[in-house]
Amino acid sequence: MDSATKDEMQPSLPPGSSCPGPEWPEQERAEQLARGAALKWASGIFYRPEQLARLGQYRSREVQRTCSLEARIKSVVQSYLEGVKTGVWQLAQASEAVQGAREALGQAHGLLQGMAETTQTLKPLREQVAQHKQLRVLSQLLPRLWAVPAAVAHTQTLIDAQRLLEAYVCLRELEQLQEETWAPLEGLELPVFEGLGPLAEALGRAVETVAGAAGQLAREDPALLVAAVRVAEVDAGYMASLELAPRDWRQRCLQALQEGLERTHFGTPLLPEPGALAGWLEALRVALPAELALAEALVAPCCPPHYKVVQLWAHTLHSGLRRCLQQLLEGPGLGAADAFTLLHWALHVYLGPEMMGSLELGPEADVSQLEPLLTLENIEQLEATFVAQTQANVTQWLQRALDGEVAEWNREQEPGTDSSGFYHSPMPAIVLQILEENIRVTSLVSESLQQRVHGMALSELGTFLRSSSVSGLQPEGAASGALAPVGTALDELQRRICRLVLEALLAELQPLFAALPSRRWLSSPELLDDVCERTARFCQEFRRVRDPAAQLLLAEAERMVVLQYLRALMQGRLVCRGAHERTQVAERLQHDAAQLRELFLGLGLEESVQCAPVLLALRDLLNLRDPMLLGLEVAGLRQKFPDVSEDHISALLDLRGDVSREQRLAALSSLQAGPQPSPSAGRRALFSLVPAPTPALSSCLPSGPCA
């Protein structure tokens, strides 16, 4: 397609139309896009020659379309211009309205400024009007206001005369008059009403005073008590109805009831003299139930039901008593009697049927659910105090009793005897009776105190003396070994007493045993005869002693004689010079053992507890013919007497006089190589109490104690 054809295809503008140049880049770009789209469309339509014949139709149609678009655009633009014109007109109207409003506001501002100045000029007039109103009210109330001082004085007189209801009525009238003046006077407080506050306080104190003496007034003047309670109740309701700040007269009345009750029974500090506590507690035992009965019979009818007078009385008395006892325990320490009395009273009497648990008191008087009078710490403190002081008293008494008993037994005349002829002293029975009585009495308080005193009694008895009646102190249900420590301590004490008694016998026998063994001893029984004679004479006094103490004295005497015999043998005073002398020594040991056995059997000592059989064991060792068998004899001796040592064996071998070094070492080695001795209950030490001379080093084993 040539350029001429393209020019003909361009749509022509209608006459009178113009195409103004672009006013902004977007318009120019839009026109270019539109032209490009038109050219593309025309190129597509007229690309084939047969369509050129229709060019005129297309041109005419495009001209019509263009004219239609221009008409629509003109219509839109015209409508837009009309809207703009309307908006401009409305803006002009609004501007005129705003200007008018501004002028009106300016005029109003000027008027307001003028009115403010006028108001300032009227302020004195307004104040005068208010004062006029107040003066008018005062002029109306003036007669009543003139009567206020006299009414205040009259009300005070009524209060002083305890005419509380009348005084309260007068007070309310004065307060109402004061309220009537508040609103007109805009809260202005008149000087004439300055006395109402102290007057109300005086009436409140009067109510408290009457309530504090409720117990006495309930008996003497119940009407006054009722008047005080009614004043407190009426005032509480009146103040609540007017939504005014309460004066708390009801609470003050209840508090005064409690304080008066505590002051009556616990007002003075409790510092009783020793022994006076029991009287004070006894007085409370009588007074507190009587006070509760008075509250139920006389005070409760004078008070409203919601006061719960009986419950209030019971709780107040309980708390006051509890506080008083706490102060008492914080003061100087109590004596044993006072501590016991307080424990028994607080744990048993107070809640018992004689006091707060009485069936005559109603359920409101129940205090069992409140805090106990004594805390666990208080009970522990009182029990410890009682036990400590009781123990000190028992210790002193036992010491005095023992001193008296010693003085009695040290007199020139013989001690007293019982119907059987045995020496007798009433002191053990008295001691046990006193301890039993202390234990029995504490069972009235608590099991814990009884256990404490029981332990104390056993401890003190452990320092005293043995008695077959000790088991009587053991409480039912206690462990069978509870007395074992006491028994052990008393057994040891009894043995010490036996040793003290036998010291005199020992002093007589030691010079006789100094000559044993000797060749005179081998040839004559005189030495042992003297020992037996003096021993028998000394032990004859034991017939006045009851068993088992008599058996113990005889056993200790026999054991002491045997120990002195062994001690003499171990001193190395005799060495056998041949088989004949060894036979003599063995026969003498056998004879002496039999003589001692017969002596103590005759004195009444059981054979099973005698120690003399040890001499027969030594006889077998000394009478052995073949020294090569000494090891067997030594081992057998070790089995019978485990406390025998190498030193003792060496001393016995020295007594034989025929043992070589090798035989000695072989015999001593059997002590270590042989079987260990079997334990035996009741076997007492013998050789360990007998000193032996240390043998020469050549006679010791390398591992022996003498090496």
Side-chain angles (χ1 to χ4, degrees):
M1 186 183 295
D2 55 8
S3 59
T5 304
K6 290 182 180 179
D7 292 338
E8 291 178 357
M9 294 176 63
Q10 294 291 338
S12 61
L13 293 174
S17 63
S18 61
C19 183
E23 297 181 0
W24 54 78
E26 289 78 2
Q27 182 180 1
E28 182 180 0
R29 184 170 178 272
E31 289 180 355
Q32 290 177 355
L33 291 175
R35 288 181 182 275
L39 289 174
K40 184 177 181 181
W41 174 78
S43 298
I45 293 295
F46 301 109
Y47 181 73
R48 291 178 292 181
E50 61 270 14
Q51 291 182 344
L52 293 176
R54 300 172 61 185
L55 180 60
Q57 294 178 2
Y58 283 115
R59 179 183 294 171
S60 176
R61 189 167 55 189
E62 288 299 327
V63 170
Q64 291 177 359
R65 184 182 296 174
T66 301
C67 291
S68 175
L69 288 173
E70 288 180 351
R72 291 172 62 186
I73 290 172
K74 287 180 180 180
S75 175
V76 171
V77 171
Q78 185 65 31
S79 176
Y80 174 74
L81 291 175
E82 290 178 356
V84 171
K85 182 178 179 181
T86 302
V88 171
W89 179 82
Q90 290 177 348
L91 287 175
Q93 293 294 323
S95 177
E96 292 177 0
V98 169
Q99 185 63 28
R102 182 180 298 171
E103 293 175 357
L105 288 174
Q107 295 174 0
H109 181 68
L111 292 174
L112 288 175
Q113 288 182 342
M115 291 179 66
E117 295 174 357
T118 305
T119 302
Q120 291 296 327
T121 60
L122 294 177
K123 185 176 181 181
L125 181 60
R126 187 181 298 110
E127 294 176 354
Q128 291 181 0
V129 170
Q131 293 177 358
H132 176 71
K133 291 180 179 179
Q134 293 176 356
L135 290 174
R136 184 180 60 183
V137 172
L138 289 176
S139 63
Q140 295 174 354
L141 298 176
L142 189 58
R144 298 172 63 187
L145 293 176
W146 276 109
V148 167
V152 170
H154 176 65
T155 304
Q156 184 64 52
T157 302
L158 294 176
I159 294 174
D160 296 338
Q162 293 187 333
R163 297 163 61 181
L164 302 182
L165 285 175
E166 298 177 45
Y168 182 71
V169 171
C170 293
L171 176 64
R172 287 304 312 138
E173 292 177 353
L174 291 172
E175 289 177 341
Q176 290 176 358
L177 178 59
Q178 184 182 27
E179 293 170 4
E180 292 177 7
T181 62
W182 277 346
L185 299 182
E186 298 179 357
L188 179 62
E189 186 72 31
L190 296 178
V192 73
F193 293 112
E194 291 179 353
L196 291 189
L199 187 66
E201 182 61 26
L203 181 57
R205 287 196 302 268
V207 170
E208 286 187 73
T209 302
V210 171
Q216 179 182 357
L217 292 176
R219 293 189 298 266
E220 300 175 357
D221 191 0
L224 179 57
L225 176 61
V226 172
V229 174
R230 288 187 61 189
V231 166
E233 289 298 307
V234 170
D235 185 74
Y238 178 77
M239 301 300 281
S241 64
L242 297 182
E243 298 181 357
L244 299 175
R247 281 190 278 237
D248 291 336
W249 284 1
R250 175 190 291 168
Q251 189 62 32
R252 291 168 65 179
C253 181
L254 290 172
Q255 186 174 356
L257 288 172
Q258 295 175 297
E259 292 176 352
L261 187 59
E262 290 187 7
R263 187 167 53 251
T264 300
H265 295 282
F266 315 111
T268 57
L270 178 62
L271 293 174
E273 297 296 328
L277 180 62
W280 182 73
L281 294 177
E282 177 61 22
L284 287 180
R285 186 192 67 79
V286 177
L288 297 190
E291 188 69 46
L292 289 174
L294 171 67
E296 185 175 5
L298 300 179
V299 180
C302 298
C303 301
H306 64 268
Y307 273 38
K308 298 181 179 179
V309 170
V310 178
Q311 183 179 1
L312 178 68
W313 244 240
H315 289 195
T316 301
L317 291 173
H318 180 83
S319 61
L321 177 59
R322 187 173 187 274
R323 183 169 57 256
C324 189
L325 293 181
Q326 295 298 322
Q327 295 174 354
L328 174 64
L329 294 177
E330 293 172 0
L334 298 176
D338 286 343
F340 178 85
T341 301
L342 180 55
L343 279 171
H344 180 261
W345 192 90
L347 297 180
H348 298 283
V349 177
Y350 178 68
L351 294 177
E354 298 180 358
M355 283 194 70
M356 309 306 283
S358 174
L359 297 177
E360 298 179 359
L361 300 177
E364 292 183 350
D366 183 23
V367 295
S368 60
Q369 302 303 319
L370 301 180
E371 291 183 303
L373 290 180
L374 299 178
T375 64
L376 294 179
E377 291 78 9
N378 298 146
I379 295 175
E380 173 71 20
Q381 174 187 349
L382 290 171
E383 288 185 356
T385 298
F386 175 78
V387 173
Q389 297 194 13
T390 301
Q391 184 173 9
N393 295 336
V394 169
T395 301
Q396 289 181 345
W397 186 90
L398 290 178
Q399 185 60 46
R400 288 196 299 268
L402 187 59
D403 293 341
E405 190 75 2
V406 171
E408 179 71 20
W409 282 75
N410 284 333
R411 288 166 45 183
E412 294 293 336
Q413 60 187 20
E414 284 192 0
T417 58
D418 59 10
S419 59
S420 301
F422 294 103
Y423 289 138
H424 172 72
S425 171
M427 186 178 64
I430 295 175
V431 169
L432 291 176
Q433 181 180 359
I434 290 177
L435 295 179
E436 288 175 353
E437 183 65 20
N438 279 283
I439 295 173
R440 186 191 64 79
V441 168
T442 54
S443 65
L444 301 176
V445 175
S446 65
E447 184 179 355
S448 63
L449 181 61
Q450 186 180 19
Q451 292 296 329
R452 283 170 175 260
V453 175
H454 177 261
M456 179 274 296
L458 293 179
S459 174
E460 289 302 312
L461 197 59
T463 62
F464 199 60
L465 57 85
R466 174 77 171 173
S467 173
S468 60
S469 300
V470 172
S471 59
L473 290 177
Q474 184 168 348
E476 296 183 3
S480 59
L483 296 175
V486 178
T488 302
L490 296 180
D491 283 340
E492 180 60 27
L493 178 62
Q494 196 169 19
R495 293 186 184 280
R496 290 174 58 191
I497 294 175
C498 289
R499 287 195 291 272
L500 290 174
V501 172
L502 296 176
E503 282 183 356
L505 176 61
L506 179 61
E508 291 187 31
L509 297 183
Q510 278 181 338
L512 299 178
F513 280 110
L516 186 151
S518 63
R519 285 178 172 78
R520 179 189 170 203
W521 165 68
L522 290 177
S523 60
S524 173
E526 293 180 1
L527 291 177
L528 193 64
D529 289 345
D530 290 344
V531 170
C532 292
E533 180 183 354
R534 298 191 183 190
T535 302
R537 185 173 62 250
F538 187 88
C539 293
Q540 285 298 323
E541 300 295 333
F542 297 164
R543 72 182 188 278
R544 299 291 187 92
V545 181
R546 287 185 179 274
D547 288 334
Q551 285 292 314
L552 180 61
L553 284 169
L554 290 173
E556 290 294 323
E558 192 264 351
R559 181 166 175 262
M560 184 198 70
V561 172
V562 172
L563 286 175
Q564 292 300 315
Y565 198 109
L566 293 177
R567 185 188 298 267
L569 287 179
M570 300 298 169
Q571 297 304 313
R573 300 191 186 106
L574 176 67
V575 176
C576 295
R577 292 179 293 193
H580 176 68
E581 284 192 355
R582 285 193 294 275
T583 302
Q584 284 184 305
V585 171
E587 291 176 353
R588 176 53 58 196
L589 289 174
Q590 183 176 3
H591 177 270
D592 291 350
Q595 189 173 357
L596 291 175
R597 172 179 173 275
E598 294 300 328
L599 168 65
F600 283 99
L601 282 177
L603 292 173
L605 180 64
E606 298 177 2
E607 185 176 3
S608 60
V609 298
Q610 294 186 14
C611 299
V614 68
L615 302 181
L616 300 178
L618 299 184
R619 181 208 63 177
D620 295 339
L621 179 64
L622 295 174
N623 198 33
L624 185 64
R625 300 291 182 180
D626 187 1
M628 301 299 295
L629 300 178
L630 285 174
L632 295 177
E633 287 296 333
V634 169
L637 183 64
R638 176 70 179 278
Q639 286 294 322
K640 295 179 181 178
F641 305 98
D643 59 341
V644 68
S645 67
E646 291 182 8
D647 294 345
H648 297 116
I649 299 298
S650 295
L652 293 174
L653 296 180
D654 290 340
L655 178 61
R656 279 182 60 95
D658 65 339
V659 180
S660 65
R661 182 176 183 277
E662 291 76 12
Q663 292 171 344
R664 180 187 300 271
L665 294 177
L668 293 177
S669 64
S670 65
L671 288 176
Q672 301 179 2
Q676 294 297 318
S678 59
S680 176
R683 179 181 292 170
R684 301 183 62 189
L686 281 176
F687 286 96
S688 60
L689 301 178
V690 177
T694 303
L697 293 178
S698 60
S699 301
C700 293
L701 289 173
S703 60
C706 60

